[in-house]
Amino acid sequence: MIACVVVLAACTTNGGTEVPVLWLGTQPDGSLASGVLPVSVAVTQAGSGPLAVDLSGLERTGEAWHAAAWSAAAVGVLLTARLPEGVTVSMGVDESIDGPSGGAAMAVGVLAQLESVTLLPGTTVTGTVQPSGAIGPVGGIPEKVRAAAAHGISTVLIPAGQRVAGDPRTSSDVDTVALGLSLGVDVVEVSSLATALSLMSGGAVDWSTSAPLGMSASVTAFLSAETDRTLARLRQVALHPSPTLALDSERRRVQSGIDSASARVPVLTAAGDVATAYARATLAEREAAAWNAEAQAVAAARLDLEPAREKVVAQCGAVAESAAAALMAAASTETPRVEQAVALPDALTWAVDAEASATRARQDAAGSSSPLEIGMAAADAARAGYAVTRYLPTALGVLARTGNRATPPGIDTQLDGYTALLVQSGEAVTAALALAGPASGDEPALAGYLYGGWSLGSAPPLTGAAARSLAAAMAWYVSTATIAAEAEATSALPARLGTRRSITRPDLFATQVAVADEQLVHLGSGIVADGLDPSYLAWGGAWGRAAATAPDSTSAPDDLRIEGLQYQWYATIQAAALRAITRSQ
């Protein structure tokens, strides 16, 4: 391999890319230790088979590092819209190290290889990686900046929102930009891998975005009609009285959402923003259904706990069964156009997620010991039921009205390649998460934590049908990525039954939402340039963005906002696959 000009600086050679990774740890005596490690990244493509990440060069690293390597490889392939078939990503580091914060640096290395660009010497980035290409938060940034200065690195990119960070030396907050200036290091906040790659390559890669994606007239008319019907139903909704003072604020939240949607949806429709109008109307209706189910269950449980619990357990089971049946039926949808074939797995995630949510709600209800816990399970089951009866049919309706190009032969094999990519990445993340320490009491924060109906450490069951398998893999990948983001303090995991996730850093969460939107527009611009129909992508992305950015007037729960981000990730995955598959023809 040709030697890099600067030993611990990013560079690209004929044999691969070398990126410096900043690290922070402790010595055996408990004192701080920090430094810089050169990590080699090489990408080759030959033959067939699913994407492989060669970890033989990472034998001295831990599970969290392996997970970061897999995430970097998966996101790199998705962001560059490459088919994963035959791709091998090899990484190497000659030290014992662990942790997720090297993910962004490894991802930039993968992107540099895939885009065939040279990285500038003296630059690096620290941060975690998320499916849309957002750079997630990390700890110990001040000490990492000191390590960079000591090793001759002149530019350090850090996650947006972390300019002021806790200093492990002093346990106080530090302005990392000012610290960098005092040490001769330029510290720059970045929100995405796209920005990091541009800065670290001297602008060699331009991933600037253009206008938001548009929808065809037939899709617009379909969504307009669905929105009108939803709004008419919403205006007739009667909310159940609050069964307890503890739930009064929740009832007011739901009523506020109804009032806001009733006033705002017609304005959005008149302005031509039909996708957002549909999202706002249906989100309000879904929350109303969830409230009524919760209030009725709590009221019944306060009178007689055991029969109420048994009823909710049965209701959850029925929703799970209906979701499974709907999944099987929808999976047989004809997809004569390529946009439809790639969108179908995305549409099926409504049923996949509903079955998983109802399954978890059933388990929560069975283990509940209070009326409020029973009510929460009933609300979750109602939301899952709404996804099956409303969102899945709408997704299939949009899908039926989308498409310009005939489905190419052999597309199932290409979809299977994405299934393998997403499942393997998800498994690597769960292997790392399972090692997390306890949260409080006797319950672990992550080990054994049931998310979306699947236990950590076991991937979702896959079927022989390409669309159903990819839908399950997408749900698995997005679920594990969400938990990883929560573990990195973007939002807090529920430590035990009867709690909900909460977004602890709204600024960081807003950045993730914005990056997901930007990446979808970037990929969608290429799809439009290729003569393909972006209607389904536009609808899916708009629904996710509307949920994730629900206005304060609706007092939307954090769980809803997180779900919106997840559906933005689904749209990004779908866009990457569509562009890669059509470019390969």
Side-chain angles (χ1 to χ4, degrees), residues 7 12 45 94 151 173 196 202 257 314 319 331 417 419 445 533 548 559:
V7 174
T12 302
Q45 184 162 10
D94 191 26
H151 288 81
D173 289 341
V319 171
T419 297
D533 182 2
D559 267 326

Side-chain angles (χ1 to χ4, degrees), residues 438-535:
S440 60
D442 296 327
E443 298 184 51
L446 296 169
Y449 174 69
L450 191 68
Y451 187 89
W454 298 309
S455 296
L456 289 181
S458 60
L462 302 180
T463 69
R468 292 203 307 273
S469 290
L470 182 52
M474 288 170 67
W476 168 248
Y477 173 69
V478 166
S479 294
T480 56
T482 302
I483 300 174
E486 291 167 345
E488 289 301 317
T490 298
S491 54
L493 278 170
R496 56 186 69 249
L497 183 68
T499 62
R500 287 285 189 251
R501 296 176 298 182
S502 61
I503 298 172
T504 59
R505 288 290 304 271
D507 56 334
L508 299 183
F509 183 79
T511 296
Q512 295 173 21
V513 172
V515 170
D517 199 35
E518 291 169 2
Q519 186 56 33
L520 180 61
V521 172
H522 163 66
L523 290 168
S525 298
I527 288 168
V528 171
D530 290 341
L532 299 167
D533 182 2
S535 294

Side-chain angles (χ1 to χ4, degrees), residues 36 41 122 142 151 167 172 186 206 273 348 375 391 415 446-447 488 525:
V36 183
V41 181
H151 288 81
D167 188 346
S172 60
D186 189 15
D206 180 16
D273 193 356
L348 296 181
Y391 283 132
L415 294 178
L446 296 169
E488 289 301 317
S525 298

